[in-house]
Amino acid sequence: EYGVKYVRAQVGSISETPGTNNLRLKYECEDGELAEEEFDMVILSVGLVMPKGAKELAVNLGIDLNKYGFCKTNEFSPMETSKPGIFVSGAFQGPKDIPETVTQASGAASLATGLISSARGTQVTEKVYPPEIDVSEQPPRIGVFVCHCGINIGGFVTVPQVVEYAKTLDNVVYAENNLYTCSQDTQKKITEMIKEHNLNRVVVASCTPRTHEPLFQETLREAGLNPHLFEMANIRDQCSWIHMHEPEEATIKAKDLVRMAVAKARLIEPLQSLPLDVTQKGLVIGGGLAGMVAAIGIAKQGYEVYLIE
Ligand code: SF4
């Protein structure tokens, strides 16, 4: 009736056609067919409404919402709410995706730390660690901790099988599975097992070292081991996620990754960190609006800043 054609599909990309300024959409239809079409306007319709509690939160904090129920902010200061000292980031301010939310959160953190910069460092207490155990003369005694990540890994990889396999590997003196290896309880358990079994190398088979390696290294250090006597096998991204339709193969691959991590753990040696002086000055390249705001943000935090245009 209105000439609307409804296509259920996944859009892969939108690009501008040079010359016409039309927009070219590439999409995958439900039957897997790839298609391309050109339009003179593309509208992204996001079905997002604020949760019920958002209004209550705004009232309690004394901040204004806009007519759509999202946090009211100024176009040029999207992290500042109507109340000084309260900053916003993410979907509370309006529909947005994760990268934009993360960028905005950095901006909000910069504004907040600018406000309290005079207190920076005034309440720092230095963490005291136990003396580091000298493992140089010891043969490797490796502990392996295999994570279920709830059903994230455990729903696709047979974790107990991986643990039993790990126990058969040379130098592995202890192996167990954990529901959530990054939980506080498990950090305590890892520390206890390091002491009880005199572990001098630790392997965690769970997710990515990019996000979780520092946490486990800290646990090793707290248990008296050098934090670099640690190795990680990523059986979540590399096994359960990408082989979720082949659980047997996922389990076989998890065993392979654990075997490789254990092989590497046998050879790793302690590393020492060296403190280095840091130049406490900022450099912002690009003097446009974003660059100027970044430079002001650093300056408000009390640092000398150079802005290059
Ligand atoms: S360590 Fe990684 S895989 Fe395990 S529970 Fe935590 S996030 Fe999930």
Side-chain angles (χ1 to χ4, degrees):
E1 188 182 348
Y2 295 104
V4 176
K5 184 173 129 200
Y6 181 74
V7 183
R8 196 175 153 84
Q10 232 176 355
V11 178
S13 68
I14 304 177
S15 54
E16 193 173 309
T17 309
T20 63
N21 292 341
N22 280 348
L23 295 168
R24 189 148 200 88
L25 247 80
K26 285 188 186 170
Y27 57 87
E28 183 188 346
C29 305
E30 278 189 294
D31 58 6
E33 277 289 298
L34 297 179
E36 260 189 77
E37 258 186 281
E38 200 164 297
F39 301 93
D40 48 26
M41 183 188 275
V42 174
I43 296 166
L44 176 66
S45 157
V46 183
L48 185 70
V49 288
M50 284 300 267
K52 285 198 188 91
K55 194 168 178 191
E56 197 184 314
L57 178 68
V59 171
N60 288 343
L61 294 175
I63 56 177
D64 296 338
L65 300 179
N66 62 23
K67 64 177 177 176
Y68 303 107
F70 294 100
C71 184
K72 189 173 178 183
T73 55
N74 182 305
E75 208 174 326
F76 290 110
S77 51
M79 280 82 70
E80 289 183 58
T81 67
S82 55
K83 190 159 176 179
I86 299 185
F87 305 100
V88 63
S89 71
F92 186 65
Q93 195 236 350
K96 54 180 60 83
D97 57 14
I98 295 173
E100 194 183 346
T101 299
V102 173
T103 306
Q104 205 184 13
S106 304
S110 166
L111 291 170
T113 47
L115 266 188
I116 57 170
S117 63
S118 60
R120 180 183 296 110
T122 55
Q123 297 194 10
V124 175
T125 49
E126 203 175 326
K127 191 163 180 181
V128 182
Y129 293 102
E132 211 173 282
I133 302 163
D134 178 9
V135 301
S136 56
E137 301 296 316
Q138 299 176 1
R141 292 181 60 80
I142 303 171
V144 179
F145 297 83
V146 187
C147 187
H148 282 262
C149 197
I151 55 163
N152 233 329
I153 296 173
F156 310 97
V157 170
T158 313
V159 171
Q161 268 189 31
V162 181
V163 173
E164 289 312 308
Y165 176 72
K167 286 179 185 169
T168 66
L169 300 170
D170 286 350
N171 302 105
V172 172
V173 293
Y174 182 75
E176 67 165 45
N177 61 75
N178 320 108
L179 192 55
Y180 297 104
T181 308
C182 58
S183 69
Q184 275 294 325
D185 290 355
T186 311
Q187 301 322 293
K188 206 164 152 254
K189 184 84 191 293
I190 294 175
T191 308
E192 286 165 6
M193 292 306 106
I194 289 173
K195 291 180 181 161
E196 193 178 318
H197 297 276
N198 292 323
L199 304 178
N200 55 22
R201 310 280 190 287
V202 171
V203 170
V204 169
S206 61
C207 49
T208 165
R210 208 151 42 96
T211 54
H212 282 64
E213 190 174 51
L215 170 77
F216 297 121
Q217 288 184 324
E218 178 75 8
T219 302
L220 261 69
R221 189 61 198 90
E222 283 170 0
L225 284 180
N226 181 283
H228 299 284
L229 296 169
F230 174 75
E231 188 53 37
M232 212 163 164
N234 186 350
I235 63 166
R236 185 193 63 182
D237 304 19
Q238 305 297 339
C239 302
S240 60
W241 277 3
I242 59 165
H243 299 296
M244 57 173 60
H245 302 299
E246 306 138 333
E248 273 183 36
E249 283 83 351
T251 304
I252 293 169
K253 188 171 171 187
K255 289 179 187 173
D256 286 346
L257 293 185
V258 167
R259 190 178 66 253
M260 287 189 254
V262 167
K264 190 171 171 198
R266 268 183 220 119
L267 303 172
I268 46 180
E269 297 288 337
L271 295 174
Q272 299 305 331
S273 318
L274 297 174
L276 287 176
D277 285 337
V278 174
T279 305
Q280 302 224 342
K281 291 177 184 175
L283 171 67
V284 177
I285 301 173
L289 189 58
M292 287 194 285
V293 171
I296 290 171
I298 299 170
K300 279 191 175 161
Q301 290 176 51
Y303 297 109
E304 194 176 337
V305 53
Y306 295 84
L307 177 63
I308 296 182
E309 168 61 4

